[in-house]
Amino acid sequence: MIKLLCVWLLLSIAVTTLAGAGFTPASGSPVVIAAYRPQAIAIGDLNSDGKPDLAVTSLKCKPELDRRGDCTEESTAGQVSILIGDCTGRFTEFQQGERSPFRVSGDPQAILIADLDGDGLDDIVTAHLGHDKLNILWGDARLNFGWPTQLYVTGAPVALAYGDFDEDGNLDLITADLVGDSVTLLHGQGGRKFDIAQKFKVGNGPKSLAVGDFDHDGHLDIASANSSREASISVLLGDGQGGFTITQIALGTVPSAIVTADFNRDGNLDLATTNLGSDVVILLLGNGNGTFTAPQVFPAGTDPLTLAPIDLKGDGILDLAVVNGSRDQVTLLVNDGAGDFQRWKSLTTGDVPLALAVGDLNCDGYSDIAVANSASDDLTIWLQE
């Protein structure tokens, strides 16, 4: 009884601390984009002005907003929209020339931003579920993205991540292959070259990836959320040479997305997943040796699709922002510092939000939230006060 009272007091203190905090919509939010059905979103500095920008993948162009003059109702090419930030939380879609939004392969389901070729400029990578390929738009700080480099990855790549998994000084790419039940590693060769090394078999229907050093051996590891029959997480412990030892963790409920962070501040990376069928977030605390404790379950609102760590109190304790797709909202879960989460509040989004990105969008030192809304073809920007 005393233990339960202490837990209640801790959670009450956390919520009280948050009472003075909050979120406000950014000026210009929602931001309409010149493409239909945005699917994924990422934050980076795409014009190298020191201010955060956004990149968004969408399924097709919008004829009524077409600046190239070649968009039709039958167009099937995917799009990447670039939105330039001004450090106030306001974003304006890049409209110089006739190439924005930029054309990529069809069915773009994931996006990441990283300096892949080591030139100090952010590049964009998209994964194309229905076309078995990746597209890379190489950055030049002037947003003069040429025709993308295409890398072929069989098995329906649906998620992306990066890191130097073979420790040769070049960034590598990894994909979660939904149909292939695999993780594919593409070795960076320096410059703008990648080799497909091999596929690593994981659980059924991997749909999301998280990267970190789970066992404190100095080598990057991978976790995949497997969204099909077996309802599991695969943990791939890296050897620093591009090889992995793979174990499975059964969840009992199907995960749709996965992230990693140190949620209980013990120095070990933990894992958190969203789980659509049961409307929960599942937390697995890391033991520091590549193994994890038994899953803990926390309510996360209806239809939690994906999630991201976020510091809601400015105290260094990582909380969670969860996208609730059918409810048109983002649910914020407060962490008591020991990995115990309580639902705090919900933020309204546009219609059918599918993805979010967390970062300091107005340059005030606090984490903000950008959400891609598939049915309303826009972005919702919430700024933390």
Side-chain angles (χ1 to χ4, degrees):
M1 182 70 180
I2 293 174
K3 182 178 179 182
L4 288 173
L5 179 61
C6 290
V7 170
W8 181 85
L9 285 171
L10 284 171
L11 291 173
S12 297
I13 291 169
V15 173
T16 301
T17 304
L18 280 165
F23 285 80
T24 58
S27 175
S29 177
V31 184
V32 176
I33 62 172
Y36 283 123
R37 296 180 63 189
Q39 302 292 297
I41 186 169
I43 300 171
D45 183 7
L46 296 170
N47 59 352
S48 296
D49 65 353
K51 301 172 184 178
D53 308 311
L54 299 173
V56 183
T57 61
S58 299
L59 293 186
K60 62 179 296 184
C61 59
K62 266 185 186 175
E64 65 270 27
L65 295 179
D66 176 34
R67 290 185 293 275
R68 292 187 298 257
D70 60 359
C71 179
T72 67
E73 291 292 342
E74 292 74 30
S75 299
T76 59
Q79 309 289 309
V80 173
S81 298
I82 306 297
L83 295 102
I84 303 302
D86 64 1
C87 245
T88 70
R90 187 178 182 88
F91 291 86
T92 304
E93 187 161 2
F94 174 64
Q95 295 184 349
Q96 182 178 342
E98 298 179 347
R99 289 178 293 174
S100 177
F102 295 91
R103 237 191 242 106
V104 290
S105 299
D107 202 14
Q109 295 294 311
I111 190 168
L112 67 79
I113 297 175
D115 178 11
L116 296 178
D117 55 1
D119 64 355
L121 304 172
D122 277 341
D123 309 306
I124 299 172
V125 189
T126 55
H128 301 266
L129 172 67
H131 290 70
D132 283 348
K133 67 174 67 171
L134 310 183
N135 279 216
I136 303 177
L137 295 167
W138 300 104
D140 68 354
R142 297 183 303 275
L143 303 177
N144 290 325
F145 297 109
W147 191 253
T149 296
Q150 297 185 343
L151 304 174
Y152 288 87
V153 178
T154 59
V158 70
L160 286 164
Y162 68 93
D164 185 3
F165 297 100
D166 54 8
E167 299 174 13
D168 64 352
N170 301 310
L171 286 181
D172 311 310
L173 292 169
I174 55 171
T175 66
D177 309 324
L178 184 67
V179 176
D181 298 336
S182 59
V183 168
T184 297
L185 172 64
L186 297 91
H187 282 295
Q189 301 298 301
R192 297 183 172 183
K193 296 180 180 179
F194 286 86
D195 287 338
I196 296 179
Q198 66 185 102
K199 289 182 174 291
F200 299 91
K201 203 70 174 176
V202 293
N204 299 132
K207 198 171 184 181
S208 180
L209 297 167
V211 173
D213 183 1
F214 304 140
D215 54 2
H216 292 289
D217 65 353
H219 307 312
L220 285 179
D221 310 310
I222 303 167
S224 70
N226 307 316
S227 63
S228 293
R229 296 184 301 275
E230 62 192 17
S232 69
I233 293 171
S234 295
V235 177
L236 298 82
L237 298 180
D239 62 6
Q241 301 177 46
F244 296 91
T245 301
I246 304 171
T247 58
Q248 303 285 99
I249 301 174
L251 291 186
T253 183
V254 175
S256 55
I258 190 167
V259 295
T260 185
D262 183 4
F263 291 109
N264 63 345
R265 300 183 296 170
D266 65 351
N268 302 321
L269 286 178
D270 312 310
L271 298 173
T273 68
T274 47
N275 298 268
L276 270 170
S278 51
D279 294 339
V280 297
V281 161
I282 290 182
L283 176 68
L284 298 94
L285 296 176
N287 296 315
N289 60 359
T291 67
F292 295 84
T293 61
Q296 301 177 54
V297 178
F298 303 98
T302 304
D303 291 339
L305 290 175
T306 189
L307 73 171
I310 183 172
D311 183 355
L312 295 174
K313 304 181 290 296
D315 58 2
I317 297 173
L318 289 175
D319 312 293
L320 286 170
V322 181
V323 171
N324 301 111
S326 66
R327 292 302 173 118
D328 300 339
Q329 66 185 24
V330 170
T331 295
L332 302 177
L333 302 180
V334 180
N335 181 5
D336 69 353
D340 216 341
F341 289 88
Q342 181 185 40
R343 186 172 176 176
W344 173 41
K345 67 184 297 183
S346 295
L347 305 175
T348 303
T349 68
D351 298 338
V352 191
L354 293 185
L356 83 166
V358 168
D360 183 4
L361 300 178
N362 61 345
C363 307
D364 66 351
Y366 296 100
S367 294
D368 310 307
I369 299 172
V371 184
N373 305 305
S374 179
S376 51
D377 302 329
D378 58 20
L379 312 178
T380 304
I381 312 293
W382 283 99
L383 302 178
Q384 188 172 182
E385 299 175 318

